[in-house]
Amino acid sequence: QSALTQPRSVSGSPGQSVTISCTGTSSNVGGYDCVSWYQQRPGKAPKLMIYDVFKRPSGVPDRFSGSKSGKTASLTISGLQAEDEADYYCCSYAGTYTLIFGGGTRLTVL
Amino acid sequence: EVQLVESGGGLVQPGGSLRLSCAASGFTFSRYWMSWVRQAPGKGLEWVANIKQEGSEKHYVDSVKGRFTVSRDNAKNSLFLQMNSLRAEDTAVYFCARIVGDGTVLDYWGQGTLVTVSS
């Protein structure tokens, strides 16, 4: 399977909202409510930010939210802060205990 | 505190082998599926393999099937990835991660170990 499709980059000013899309197929994003989002800062391990489309792990600010419509999932970050600058990856279940990631989106806080 | 620490990376020639390890602590290792994910230099994340709690079930991305083998030793709280017939395109940082929920969520990750395949 090909990687899920994400925009290569998005940007926003502090306080604004940004949305990152993640488009797949009926075999992954469209077929399961099992989309997660990971934040990765340079040289660091990925960090889980959203799972099961919209659920937030303990400790993740409620400025981060997730949604899904058909074959496209979205991560929205509201009240953008400088510390949100990072790479973001979506990940979907793809059947038979396999996972597929998106290509990643670089978020720049202007 | 959950900790995952990978080791075993290094420089290997094409066609060579390498065995990665991941030492787990801070949780009951035997109760969780575990996963390997890799990231080529400057590229995105790629899921590599999953293994069930007792090791009876394993799944791989197509590009490593027949070359990589995931295993675990629950008595030693350790996860392994045996990599054979290595190719240049296997060059990446390899992360181990804990799986939770219905097997689709990677909630804790190690810091990764770099594997470089080059002559």
Side-chain angles (χ1 to χ4, degrees):
Chain A
Q1 295 189 46
S2 300
L4 306 176
T5 300
Q6 296 182 234
R8 298 200 67 155
S9 64
V10 296
S11 62
S13 299
Q16 289 186 332
S17 293
V18 294
T19 296
I20 300 171
S21 61
C22 170
T23 301
T25 69
S26 57
S27 297
N28 40 66
V29 176
Y32 310 94
D33 286 334
C34 298
V35 177
S36 50
W37 290 89
Y38 300 88
Q39 176 192 69
Q40 187 181 34
R41 295 193 173 99
K44 300 296 186 182
K47 175 187 176 183
L48 177 65
M49 304 301 285
I50 294 288
Y51 67 99
D52 291 352
V53 177
F54 62 89
K55 298 176 183 177
R56 268 181 292 105
S58 174
V60 172
D62 59 7
R63 303 184 294 102
F64 290 83
S65 62
S67 63
K68 193 189 87 165
S69 177
K71 302 171 188 175
T72 298
S74 299
L75 172 71
T76 298
I77 309 170
S78 58
L80 210 55
Q81 298 182 3
E83 66 197 47
D84 299 332
E85 187 160 291
D87 292 329
Y88 290 84
Y89 294 90
C90 63
C91 178
S92 173
Y93 182 63
T96 321
Y97 294 97
T98 64
L99 300 174
I100 185 169
F101 282 92
T105 298
R106 173 70 53 87
L107 169 62
T108 301
V109 180
L110 302 170
Chain B
E1 178 192 6
V2 172
Q3 285 198 334
L4 298 168
V5 180
E6 302 91 339
S7 60
L11 175 64
V12 61
Q13 292 189 338
S17 298
L18 211 55
R19 189 192 195 211
L20 306 184
S21 299
C22 171
S25 61
F27 66 103
T28 306
F29 180 71
S30 60
R31 292 182 180 177
Y32 292 86
W33 282 72
M34 295 295 294
S35 185
W36 287 99
V37 176
R38 67 184 178 183
Q39 185 171 36
K43 302 297 184 182
L45 301 171
E46 180 184 36
W47 170 77
V48 174
N50 285 348
I51 184 169
K52 197 173 181 179
Q53 289 92 331
E54 70 280 2
S56 60
E57 198 170 329
K58 306 172 185 181
H59 302 276
Y60 302 91
V61 68
D62 285 347
S63 60
V64 309
K65 284 180 181 176
R67 301 188 300 122
F68 290 12
T69 302
V70 60
S71 62
R72 62 193 297 163
D73 184 338
N74 288 342
K76 296 183 178 179
N77 294 332
S78 294
L79 176 71
F80 305 102
L81 186 67
Q82 177 66 43
M83 303 185 296
N84 299 331
S85 302
L86 282 162
R87 306 166 180 167
E89 54 264 36
D90 295 318
T91 294
V93 173
Y94 285 74
F95 298 97
C96 68
R98 189 178 81 167
I99 299 173
V100 294
D102 52 5
T104 65
V105 182
L106 306 169
D107 68 338
Y108 283 95
W109 299 60
Q111 288 302 306
T113 187
L114 176 63
V115 172
T116 303
V117 184
S118 175
S119 55

